[in-house]
Amino acid sequence: MVLKQIIAHLPEVKKPTEKKLGFNQKLKWTLIVLGIYFIMYNIKLYGLSRNALERFDFLSTILGTDFGAIISLGIGPIVTSSIIIQLLVGSGILSLDTKSEEGKKLFQGIQKLGTLFFIVFEACIFVLMKGLEAVPGYQSIVIFQLILGGLAIMFMDEVVAKWGFGSGVSLFIVAGVSLQLFIGLFQFVGTDGSNCLTSFADTPCSGKVLVIIQSIINGDATGALLALLVILVTLAVFLAVVWAQNLKVEIPLSYDRLRGYGVKWPLQFFYASTLPVILVAALIANIQLFGSLLETWLGHPTILGGFQNGQPVSGFAFWIAAPNLLQAIVTGSLLGTQILQAIFHFLFYVIFAVIFSIFWVKTTGIDAAGQAKNIASSGLQIAGFRKDPRILESILSRYIFPLTVMGGLAIGALSAFADVLGTLTSGTAILLAVMILYQLYQNVA
């Protein structure tokens, strides 16, 4: 098969020869990749004339990028490829047995091919559609730099997955969210680019902590209340996610050869983890990005949406975007359109989070059949039942599918709810950061 031959010759990061890497080695590679990521984050594209994508800062956090830097593509190609391959496999259009080792390798190979395609495709689209407009004669140079940055992100993701903690995609999201949270709290550069610390009483700050102090000095009760509520809502989302992350169903198991000894097999409430909401957020980000690029290229809005200052004002992108209901309520400017927009945003997140949860569980082998196989191979069984993977599968299916659906619904709802309340950075980004850090803590522990 030609496809298998192509996949076999794709460059990849070599797996460690050890079955289990030590903590220090994993930490070393994770920190190395994180350091390289922040270095590339601050390397601007050579030959860039105008950066029309800089207005999409709120999307850059989710995509783990900084538009205008060499890593402007961020995790976009990786996640976009993952979305499409999962939809093709889940719908049966692409027939792959992801439960077998060969099927898993083929799935990962096709996903990598898709990532390479989207790296080249998005690099060309960003430049040719003037999202990242190059100086005349420098288009090919800018495209080449974007492709190099995309390849670096792809291979760094592989390094973290094989040699570090978690995955590179998760690490880059956490890095971007942490930076945005710090900026959201303590940014002293105002919206006009001036330093508010030089004239604190007169120049508006953008960091919420500084806004509170500034509003109190100037007697602006509404401004202080709004900034304080944003911080409190962000903190509430953090606590809600940490609480929900600890919810799980524990199935009591016993050893077939050691009577009297048993363990509890945990099934997390967020069974599909953070991947569904990453995919939904990336889907919305891509819709808005390509909608903006099409508008810039054609000179008029399209069905994907019309944009002003980076914000969607019409079309599909507008109705799935998150309005800031908290600010509208506090300032008394709440409109019926904003309520409808919030409802559509909520429904979009919930529906697609459930869909991606189901596809993710099926394609990664953590469904009832996969878990039954893992339990049986560990020498465990459910007390009172025969040691038969089919029996295990039938019992586990009572829990796993409902957890997959309810977990996807809950994580989508929580993310959308945080989005419409206008937290320091997007609710999706905060939710992802907390869950990824919690999982990283568990891996380290």
Side-chain angles (χ1 to χ4, degrees):
M1 187 178 178
V2 178
L3 184 60
K4 288 184 178 180
Q5 291 178 351
I6 295 173
I7 291 172
H9 288 87
L10 288 177
E12 65 174 343
V13 175
K14 187 179 179 181
K15 289 183 179 180
T17 53
E18 303 95 323
K19 288 186 177 179
K20 189 175 182 181
L21 289 175
F23 171 81
N24 290 336
Q25 197 169 7
K26 284 191 171 186
L27 180 63
K28 178 187 74 174
W29 284 109
T30 303
L31 292 177
I32 288 173
V33 169
L34 190 60
I36 295 172
Y37 170 77
F38 275 120
I39 290 171
M40 297 181 71
Y41 189 94
N42 289 285
I43 297 176
K44 299 303 178 183
L45 288 166
Y46 176 74
L48 186 64
S49 168
R50 187 175 70 93
N51 181 8
L53 297 181
E54 63 184 352
R55 52 189 178 171
F56 288 98
D57 281 344
F58 60 100
L59 294 180
S60 65
T61 305
I62 295 172
L63 294 176
T65 183
D66 178 35
F67 293 124
I70 195 170
I71 55 167
S72 289
L73 300 182
I75 62 171
I78 299 173
V79 178
T80 304
S81 174
S82 179
I83 291 173
I84 293 174
I85 301 302
Q86 282 193 55
L87 289 174
L88 291 175
V89 172
S91 61
I93 297 174
L94 188 62
S95 181
L96 287 175
D97 180 16
T98 54
K99 294 178 182 177
S100 66
E101 282 300 317
E102 187 179 354
K104 285 180 183 178
K105 287 181 180 178
L106 188 57
F107 177 84
Q108 291 168 355
I110 294 173
Q111 188 172 315
K112 193 169 187 178
L113 272 176
T115 302
L116 291 170
F117 167 77
F118 280 109
I119 286 172
V120 177
F121 176 74
E122 289 186 17
C124 295
I125 290 295
F126 278 20
V127 175
L128 298 179
M129 286 189 165
K130 298 183 179 179
L132 297 171
E133 188 174 351
V135 173
Y138 281 78
Q139 283 188 339
S140 58
I141 295 174
V142 174
I143 291 173
F144 179 68
Q145 291 174 81
L146 288 173
I147 291 173
L148 284 182
L151 290 173
I153 290 289
M154 184 184 76
F155 287 120
M156 286 195 294
D157 175 53
E158 278 193 53
V159 170
V160 176
K162 294 177 180 179
W163 291 86
F165 294 110
S167 70
V169 169
S170 300
L171 185 67
F172 303 146
I173 290 174
V174 168
V177 174
S178 301
L179 181 62
Q180 289 302 318
L181 283 175
F182 184 81
I183 291 172
L185 286 170
F186 304 107
Q187 175 65 282
F188 54 83
V189 178
T191 53
D192 58 353
S194 58
N195 187 344
C196 70
L197 297 181
T198 56
S199 180
F200 194 71
D202 301 322
T203 306
C205 296
S206 54
K208 299 304 178 186
V209 172
L210 299 178
V211 168
I212 292 173
I213 299 172
Q214 198 172 51
S215 299
I216 292 173
I217 292 173
N218 295 331
D220 182 8
T222 302
L225 176 63
L226 184 59
L228 179 61
L229 285 176
V230 168
I231 295 174
L232 291 176
V233 167
T234 303
L235 182 61
V237 171
F238 267 110
L239 296 175
V241 175
V242 171
W243 174 77
Q245 187 72 27
N246 286 301
L247 296 177
K248 57 189 172 184
V249 175
E250 293 183 330
I251 300 175
L253 301 174
S254 60
Y255 288 99
D256 55 346
R257 295 182 181 180
L258 296 172
R259 292 188 178 182
Y261 290 92
V263 295
K264 290 183 178 179
W265 193 276
L267 300 174
Q268 297 291 337
F269 177 62
F270 291 143
Y271 189 70
S273 187
T274 58
L275 263 297
V277 80
I278 289 177
L279 296 177
V280 178
L283 181 61
I284 289 179
N286 281 322
I287 289 171
Q288 294 190 0
L289 277 175
F290 284 106
S292 174
L293 290 171
L294 278 174
E295 182 183 29
T296 303
W297 186 44
L298 298 174
H300 59 80
T302 64
I303 190 171
L304 287 179
F307 299 82
Q308 289 181 4
N309 299 320
Q311 299 293 331
V313 293
S314 64
F316 186 63
F318 171 77
W319 290 108
I320 61 174
N324 193 335
L325 293 186
L326 182 65
Q327 182 177 356
I329 292 170
V330 172
T331 57
S333 59
L334 184 64
L335 301 173
T337 307
Q338 290 175 303
I339 297 174
L340 281 175
Q341 192 182 13
I343 292 172
F344 281 117
H345 178 78
F346 187 88
L347 290 175
F348 187 90
Y349 253 94
V350 168
I351 291 169
F352 276 92
V354 171
I355 291 172
F356 286 134
S357 291
I358 294 171
F359 286 167
W360 181 255
V361 168
K362 286 186 176 180
T363 55
T364 54
I366 58 173
D367 55 357
Q371 290 283 30
K373 185 179 178 181
N374 292 335
I375 291 172
S377 63
S378 302
L380 294 165
Q381 66 184 57
I382 298 178
F385 293 88
R386 287 188 297 110
K387 187 182 178 182
D388 187 334
R390 291 173 297 178
I391 295 175
L392 277 172
E393 183 180 345
S394 65
I395 295 172
L396 288 173
S397 61
R398 301 175 192 172
Y399 300 95
I400 289 179
F401 185 75
L403 282 174
T404 301
V405 174
M406 289 190 298
L409 191 149
I411 196 172
L414 186 59
S415 179
F417 183 70
D419 279 345
V420 299
L421 288 181
T423 46
L424 285 169
T425 183
S426 76
T428 304
I430 293 173
L431 183 142
L432 289 175
V434 175
M435 294 185 68
I436 290 168
L437 285 173
Y438 184 86
Q439 289 171 0
L440 184 62
Y441 161 76
Q442 287 184 319
N443 288 337
V444 171

